[in-house]
Amino acid sequence: MTRIFVFLFFLLTSQFVLSQAWTNEQLDEANTAKDYDYVTDEEKKIVQYINLCRMFPKQFASNEVKPYTGIRGLKYKGLAKFKTSLINELNSRQPVDALEFDENMYDDAECYAAEISKNRRAAHQRKNCEKNGYAENLYFGKQDAKTIVLEWLIDCGIATLGHRKNCLNKLYGGFGVKIDTHYEYGKCAVGEFGE
């Protein structure tokens, strides 16, 4: 009986560990910003996490979304509902191509991140940075790349799920992202999506 228990425990924990890990090949394939020296490691990770979700949706739901409990200390209204909706969507999605890192979109994101880092503005309200027609995601807070992407994907409280739709839209093939400081929230991130 003890041997059976030990064997079952080993089998269950082995599958759990194997199913949770990303392979080096997956991580490398998703990291389309890796060759750009001026892009920070956190910005590269945002690109990588979005691409992992696009390319391996079911695995991303299991590896990243299911264990996510939200930002510590922040009270969410409806997190479980929005998280479940994302898991269901990812489990029924077909993989799509990775977003390629785009220098023009990066420049646009950099300009707008610098603008909003020091000024109180309504979301997506530009004054000094020309709008180039890209779909845009914004994030405010001191979180890491993985949390930023998960917050965009779960899109808690956003009825239109606009951030999620931008991240997963198969028509988008390019992406640029910039993280900057923010006078009130510590950091801000601007993500630009386009064809």
Side-chain angles (χ1 to χ4, degrees):
M1 184 73 156
T2 304
R3 280 189 220 177
I4 292 172
F5 177 74
V6 170
F7 175 74
L8 286 174
F9 178 76
F10 174 76
L11 186 62
L12 290 172
T13 57
S14 295
Q15 287 176 338
F16 180 76
V17 170
L18 291 174
S19 70
Q20 294 298 308
W22 294 106
T23 67
N24 288 337
E25 291 80 16
Q26 288 172 316
L27 293 170
D28 188 57
E29 189 179 353
N31 191 5
T32 60
K34 65 184 170 228
D35 296 328
Y36 295 88
D37 294 338
Y38 57 87
V39 179
T40 69
D41 287 342
E42 280 299 294
E43 292 161 355
K44 289 176 184 179
K45 287 178 186 174
I46 287 176
V47 176
Q48 186 176 46
Y49 280 116
I50 292 173
N51 282 337
L52 286 170
C53 187
R54 290 170 63 91
M55 296 161 55
F56 311 103
K58 292 173 183 66
Q59 191 176 354
F60 192 89
S62 175
N63 287 3
E64 308 297 344
V65 182
K66 282 184 183 177
Y68 185 67
T69 58
I71 298 170
R72 188 180 209 173
L74 184 63
K75 295 191 182 199
Y76 291 85
K77 185 175 183 181
L79 177 63
K81 179 179 100 173
F82 282 87
K83 188 172 143 180
T84 299
S85 112
L86 175 60
I87 290 168
N88 291 340
E89 182 175 346
L90 294 179
N91 282 329
S92 65
R93 280 185 74 86
Q94 293 300 311
V96 296
D97 291 338
L99 295 168
E100 292 299 323
F101 186 78
D102 185 284
E103 293 180 64
N104 291 326
M105 291 179 203
Y106 173 86
D107 290 344
D108 189 54
E110 182 178 42
C111 180
Y112 190 46
E115 182 176 323
I116 62 174
S117 70
K118 299 167 186 65
N119 303 290
R120 182 176 301 277
R121 298 275 164 75
H124 311 289
Q125 180 187 38
R126 293 166 178 258
K127 290 194 177 176
N128 302 317
C129 297
E130 183 179 326
K131 179 77 171 146
N132 288 308
Y134 306 131
E136 185 171 78
N137 283 6
L138 302 179
Y139 182 85
F140 299 92
K142 296 180 184 179
Q143 307 312 316
D144 62 6
K146 181 176 174 178
T147 302
I148 292 169
V149 171
L150 285 167
E151 290 290 317
W152 280 344
L153 288 165
I154 293 169
D155 226 1
C156 187
I158 308 297
T160 63
L161 301 176
H163 301 100
R164 180 189 302 181
K165 288 176 182 175
N166 288 343
C167 290
L168 299 177
N169 190 330
K170 69 180 180 181
L171 299 177
Y172 295 145
F175 181 65
V177 63
K178 182 61 184 171
I179 298 173
D180 207 331
T181 59
H182 191 270
Y183 72 96
E184 185 174 6
Y185 300 110
K187 287 198 296 190
C188 62
V190 177
E192 303 291 350
F193 301 80
E195 296 178 12

